[in-house]
Structures are given as structure tokens and as C-alpha cells.
Amino acid sequence: MDSLPDRARRLMKIAEGAARAAGVPLLAAFRSEMAVDYKRDLHDVVTIHDRQAEALIRDYIFAHEPNSAMLGEEGGQVGDGEIQWYVDPIDGTANFARGLAFWCISIAAVEDGAVVAGVVYDPVAGLLFSADIERSYLNGEVIASRAVADEARATLITGYPVSRDFRLDGRVVALARFGELVEAFSTVRRPGSAALSIAHVAAGFVDAAAGFGVNAWDVAAAILILNNAGGRYQPLSLGKVPEGAADYLCPGYLAHGRGGDYPTLNRVAAAISAGRIAKAPAS
């Protein structure tokens, strides 16, 4: 049996191959006429391309690593192998459907509860972020995260608040918190893909990212990419999972580039987290 580093690198290569294979038809479909469906509400978009890409990724992974199981955003859990994959075929579907070029394919491999390989692929920009258990790469070159120290000069990517946050935190409170972030940071952006946002922190393109409603398929790959690049990922349970749950199972996060630690962001995130935990039903 191969060593863990060798196995992780092999799984990373499988994820890269699956992402590139899915990226070809997705890129061809991007900015074309397409039908859009909705899942939970009008803010939760899905297209036929999500489902087709997930099926392609699933088939590629199972052909190259039969000892697999996969949890996909669209198709749920399939397989019963020892390697658990988390797949988001299009993270940022609303962007993809409207022609906004900030979306990606996210694929992570988990072994014994730990993420050992991950890929975040942006086909439009031609950016393939990947990681094994030792290093992170951008288009095959090792990357190192970096961030400015002063939040007044920093760039933050966040999806907060969305309509769900209004329901959970209150509209006035949520907008006031967003206002604090806008005033504290040099730039705040809301591009709409957690996986790609965290990967940008890993590459040093932005200084920090934050989210308060993510799933394992959104963040598992990006967490490994960020951590290996020297950034810092702080999971937030938000009262949804037990304290101490695996990072990728937590629905909230802060992602800091190396050298960045931002007091306003930390304070706002702590307030959101405390409020959600206080409202969570007792177990």
C-alpha cells in the first residue's frame, strides 16, 4: 500500500482530472441560454449543468478510485468506499447561470475524517488550485498565502448578509454588522463562491474571507488549500454542529491570509456565532 503522502498526491491528481473534465462542458455552456431551476427558494439556483457535471465527476472518480464514496451537492451520498469525496460541481451557480465569471468546481478527498486532497478549479480564468497533505499549488506551482496586517488596508470577501441571515440575525442587525465591515476594511466584495473566495485568500489575491452558511462540499477542498499555503481557517459551529466537529462540517468560517488578523471581522463573527448558538435548539 502506498504511503499517505503518495496516496494524497494520487487523489489530488484524480481530483484535478475530474475537475478539468467537468470544466470543459461547463465552460462551453457558460454565458449560453440555459434553463434555471430553484431549490429551497429563489436565492438557491440550480441548472442542468450542475447535475451533469456532478455525474461526470462521480464517474471519473469511481473509475480512477473504486474504493470511494461521494457526497455531492446535487446527488447526495453514493458509494460505500473508504475514501469520502465532497463535490460541488458548480460553487457559485447563480453567477454561472447569469454569466458572471466567479464560479468554480470544488472536489475534496477525506480519509479517516481528514481532508487529504483538494481541488478548486476556475475554468474561466484557467486557475487550478490544488493541495495534497504537504503543499498547495496554483497551476502546478507551489503557493504561499500573504495578507496585509492592517484591516484598514485589507480586502475582505464575504457573502454576509443574504436573506437567510436576515431571518436568523434580524435585518437591522445584519445590515449594521455589514456596515461595520465596510467601514473597517479598505474593500469588501461579495462575489458569491465560498470555495473560490477561500482559494483566493490562499493565493494572496485577497486578505480574508468569511461565510456563515456553507456546506462541506463548498469548503473542504479550499480549507486544505488555505492551510497548506500558510493561511488560517477558523471554523464556526453556529449552533448547527457539535463543538469540535471537523472544520469542513461547520457552517461558518473565517479565512485569514498569512499575516492577517482583523479585529472588526473577528468581533462581528463572534457576535454572529454567539447569537446563532443562543438560538439553537437544545440537543
Side-chain angles (χ1 to χ4, degrees), residues 40 43-44 73 88 91 158-162 164-165 167-169 192-195 198 210-219 233 236-238 240 248-254 272 276:
R40 291 173 298 182
H43 304 284
D44 197 1
E73 180 177 12
D88 192 340
D91 186 36
T158 183
Y160 187 87
V162 296
R164 178 186 59 249
D165 299 312
R167 295 193 298 271
L168 292 171
D169 301 340
S193 164
I198 298 166
F212 302 92
V214 296
N215 297 287
W217 50 74
D218 300 315
V219 297
Y233 189 88
L236 303 170
S237 73
L238 303 180
K240 292 287 189 179
Y248 57 86
L249 297 178
C250 294
Y253 74 89
L254 298 182
I272 294 169
R276 303 269 179 101

Side-chain angles (χ1 to χ4, degrees), residues 145 147 155-157 185 194-195 197-202 206-212 219 222-223 226-227 231-236 252-258 260-262 265-266 269:
S145 179
T155 296
L156 168 68
I157 291 182
F185 282 83
S197 296
I198 298 166
H200 278 223
V201 178
V206 296
D207 301 293
F212 302 92
V219 297
I223 290 171
L226 176 66
N227 286 340
R232 179 166 53 87
Y233 189 88
Q234 178 185 345
L236 303 170
Y253 74 89
L254 298 182
H256 290 88
R258 181 163 53 187
D261 188 19
Y262 307 120
L265 177 59
N266 295 338

Side-chain angles (χ1 to χ4, degrees), residues 151-152 154-156 180-188 208 262 264-265:
E151 70 180 7
T155 296
L156 168 68
E180 290 185 68
L181 297 174
V182 169
E183 290 180 332
F185 282 83
S186 174
T187 307
V188 177
Y262 307 120
T264 305
L265 177 59

